């Protein structure tokens, strides 16, 4: 495979245009082909208020790009025979034993019927009946009222999962797709099975073996001002998609390194709690591309990674009646374990390859593994919500457009 430099330069120009137009304060992009760096570029600022550049070692909130990491952690336990994906979550968290789901057409939270506890597979694939506060619907509104987003200062994971279990599911498990906190619940399952905190398990089983010292649930000691500020173009809550109102500032500061809850996080959110650097995350994405191996470390077996990166839905996401926000297109896009899988590139309306595995985060970060062309790509910035601009579609088109043979 051959890349044309002039076409790679278009990616750098595109990144700069987002900075010049004050859409993003700054960003970085890293592309690896067969384990070798093809392009790294950064531009703009990690802190507008302090005029600090966005650099290679800048730390960012990866939010939902935490999900594939937590999923890989559960698959480590699956490989060891300590759990299977068909198990109901109630086997590990008894609070879900007497579950209820909203009846079809419900208009109130108390209009429910008995429901089975979702399986771990349903939690991983967002078919469990759980939701997010920023989605439409009755359950989402109840979660919003309780501030159930598994934020870094919301107490312990065990406490928040227990509170979540008091709410009904949005639908009967397995019948629909809705983006959810299901992988936060998976994080708690990992704690119960392993007897360790999710923080400890991820460090021992993934971060340390892969050499990811800058990745964790809080800003690492000694990081100083390398932690990027978070911005939003919205006038209100940067995560409140149901009430999104464009503000006068395209880069309104909502969280900075001096006073961020990520400096002293107490919640180990397996669905959205990690901070990382682009080189750290590249090691994880390269492990997926290389079928579970990075350097001399075999984190997962090749067949396990292949299983994760297959589509686990009956068809595409759109066919399962989603009403929620998602980090990816829904037509032509299936869902594997912890991330989306392209099953029909033409239907996604985004240039890509069959089998592309990807996911992003609420602060507009994004990564994908192109198995056909044997490369990984990672984009970091810090603007919430990620639906503000079509940057992911544009970046995929630019990247594939740089391949000339």
């Amino acid at each position: 495979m051959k890349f044309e430099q002039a076409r790679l330069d278009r990616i750098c120009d595109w990144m700069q245009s987002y900075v010049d137009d004050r859409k993003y304060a700054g960003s970085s992009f890293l592309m690896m082909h067969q384990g070798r760096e093809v392009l790294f570029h950064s531009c703009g600022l990690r802190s507008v208020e302090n005029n600090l550049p966005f650099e290679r070692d800048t730390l960012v909130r990866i939010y939902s790009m935490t999900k594939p990491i937590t999923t890989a952690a559960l698959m480590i336990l699956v490989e060891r025979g300590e759990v299977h994906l068909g198990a109901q979550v109630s086997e590990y968290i008894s609070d879900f034993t007497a579950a209820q789901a909203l009846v079809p057409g419900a208009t109130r939270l108390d209009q429910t019927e008995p429901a089975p506890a979702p399986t771990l597979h349903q939690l991983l694939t967002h078919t469990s009946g759980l939701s997010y506060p920023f989605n439409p619907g009755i359950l989402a509104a109840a979660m919003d009222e309780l501030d159930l987003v598994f934020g870094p200062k919301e107490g312990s994971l065990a406490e928040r999962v227990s509170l979540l279990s008091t709410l009904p599911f949005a639908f009967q498990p397995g019948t629909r797709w809705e983006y959810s906190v299901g992988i936060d619940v998976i994080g708690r399952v990992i704690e119960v099975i392993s007897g360790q905190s999710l923080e400890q398990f991820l460090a021992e089983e993934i971060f340390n073996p892969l050499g990811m010292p800058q990745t964790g649930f809080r800003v690492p000691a000694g990081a100083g001002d390398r932690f990027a500020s978070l911005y939003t173009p919205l006038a209100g809550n940067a995560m409140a998609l149901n009430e999104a109102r464009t503000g006068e500032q395209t880069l309104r500061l909502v969280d900075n390194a001096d006073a961020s809850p990520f400096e002293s996080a107490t919640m180990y959110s397996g669905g959205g709690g990690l901070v990382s650097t682009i080189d750290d995350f590249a090691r994880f994405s390269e492990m997926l591309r290389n079928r579970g191996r990075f350097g001399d470390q075999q984190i997962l077996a090749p067949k396990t990674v292949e299983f994760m990166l297959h589509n686990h839905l009956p068809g595409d996401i759109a066919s399962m009646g989603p009403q929620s926000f998602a980090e990816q297109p829904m037509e032509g896009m299936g869902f594997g374990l912890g991330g989306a899988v392209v099953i029909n590139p033409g239907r996604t309306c985004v240039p890509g390859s069959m089998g592309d595995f990807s996911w992003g985060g609420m602060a507009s970060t994004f990564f994908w593994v192109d198995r056909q062309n044997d490369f990984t790509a990672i984009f970091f910035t810090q603007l919430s919500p990620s639906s503000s601009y079509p940057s992911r579609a544009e970046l995929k088109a630019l990247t594939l457009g740089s391949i000339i043979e």
Side-chain angles (χ1 to χ4, degrees):
M1 193 165 72
K2 185 177 179 181
F3 298 87
E4 184 180 275
Q5 187 58 51
R7 290 170 175 263
L8 290 171
D9 290 342
R10 292 176 183 173
I11 299 172
C12 306
D13 294 341
W14 169 83
M15 291 170 64
Q16 187 62 50
S17 73
Y18 263 72
V19 172
D20 293 343
D21 293 342
R22 291 186 61 79
K23 293 178 178 178
Y24 294 156
S27 64
S28 61
F29 177 70
L30 176 61
M31 184 178 180
M32 308 281 289
H33 175 237
Q34 296 180 341
R36 296 187 300 273
E37 184 173 312
V38 174
L39 175 66
F40 172 79
H41 182 69
S42 64
C43 62
L45 302 173
R46 68 178 183 269
S47 171
V48 174
E49 55 279 9
N50 294 316
N51 196 37
L52 298 173
F54 206 107
E55 297 176 311
R56 189 155 187 157
D57 65 351
T58 293
L59 285 149
V60 306
R61 305 154 192 78
I62 64 171
Y63 286 124
S64 288
M65 281 168 59
T66 302
K67 288 179 169 68
I69 294 176
T70 303
T71 298
L74 183 70
M75 295 310 294
I76 290 172
L77 295 174
V78 170
E79 284 192 343
R80 294 173 181 171
E82 297 184 43
V83 64
H84 68 98
L85 298 185
Q88 291 182 297
V89 67
S90 53
E91 293 184 32
Y92 306 97
I93 304 173
S94 60
D95 292 338
F96 287 99
T97 300
Q100 295 282 310
L102 294 170
V103 299
T107 57
R108 301 190 317 270
L109 196 64
D110 62 354
Q111 295 176 310
T112 63
E113 60 187 5
T119 66
L120 305 187
H121 187 266
Q122 289 166 341
L123 291 168
L124 290 171
T125 56
H126 301 296
T127 59
S128 64
L130 297 177
S131 190
Y132 260 120
F134 48 69
N135 286 331
I138 297 170
L139 173 60
M143 292 178 69
D144 189 38
E145 193 170 317
L146 293 171
D147 200 25
L148 257 172
V149 292
F150 291 81
K153 298 293 282 184
E154 287 191 3
S156 74
L157 180 56
E159 292 167 350
R160 298 311 276 179
V161 169
S162 181
L163 178 60
L164 177 69
S165 72
T166 66
L167 298 174
F169 303 134
F171 49 86
Q172 288 286 340
T175 60
R176 269 181 31 209
W177 191 96
E178 184 158 320
Y179 195 38
S180 77
V181 296
I183 298 182
D184 283 291
V185 179
I186 289 292
R188 179 57 187 153
V189 170
I190 291 170
E191 290 188 332
V192 172
I193 294 172
S194 69
Q196 297 177 289
S197 71
L198 185 61
E199 180 183 47
Q200 292 171 320
F201 190 86
L202 293 184
E204 291 183 13
E205 302 293 343
I206 297 178
F207 302 151
N208 292 345
L210 288 179
M212 298 171 62
Q214 301 295 301
T215 305
F217 290 107
R218 60 180 66 85
V219 178
D225 59 13
R226 290 190 293 113
F227 188 43
S229 294
L230 177 67
Y231 303 93
T232 186
L234 302 184
N237 186 335
M239 306 290 182
L241 302 186
N242 292 327
E243 301 175 2
R245 293 176 292 112
T246 302
E248 295 180 2
Q249 303 178 61
T250 57
L251 293 173
R252 181 173 66 84
L253 178 66
V254 290
D255 185 33
N256 60 30
D258 296 329
S260 174
F262 286 95
E263 300 278 357
S264 54
T266 58
M267 166 68 65
Y268 305 143
S269 168
L274 293 174
V275 301
S276 189
T277 62
I278 202 163
D279 282 307
D280 265 24
F281 198 87
R283 288 171 172 261
F284 176 77
S285 59
E286 278 289 292
M287 180 273 291
L288 294 180
R289 181 194 63 81
N290 205 34
R291 303 171 73 233
R293 189 173 186 83
F294 183 82
D296 61 356
Q297 297 293 314
Q298 191 78 48
I299 304 299
L300 290 166
K303 289 295 184 182
T304 300
V305 176
E306 289 177 15
F307 175 73
M308 290 173 62
L309 273 53
H310 275 298
N311 180 30
H312 286 242
L313 304 181
D316 63 6
I317 296 173
S319 70
M320 295 198 69
Q323 301 175 11
S324 68
F325 167 84
E327 295 284 358
Q328 294 286 302
M330 295 186 181
E331 291 196 358
M333 191 73 79
F335 202 83
L337 298 184
V341 183
V342 173
I343 58 174
N344 186 339
R347 295 298 296 166
T348 66
C349 296
V350 177
S353 303
M354 279 288 293
D356 277 6
F357 181 84
S358 62
W359 205 239
M362 186 61 91
S364 304
T365 58
F366 182 53
F367 90 104
W368 77 98
V369 179
D370 184 324
R371 290 180 284 165
Q372 277 193 15
N373 294 301
D374 211 15
F375 73 80
T376 58
I378 305 152
F379 179 74
F380 274 6
T381 189
Q382 292 287 267
L383 186 101
S384 181
S386 57
S387 56
S388 300
Y389 307 111
S391 57
R392 294 169 179 171
E394 292 168 353
L395 181 58
K396 285 200 78 174
L398 284 160
T399 302
L400 283 185
S402 70
I403 304 170
I404 57 171
E405 62 180 59

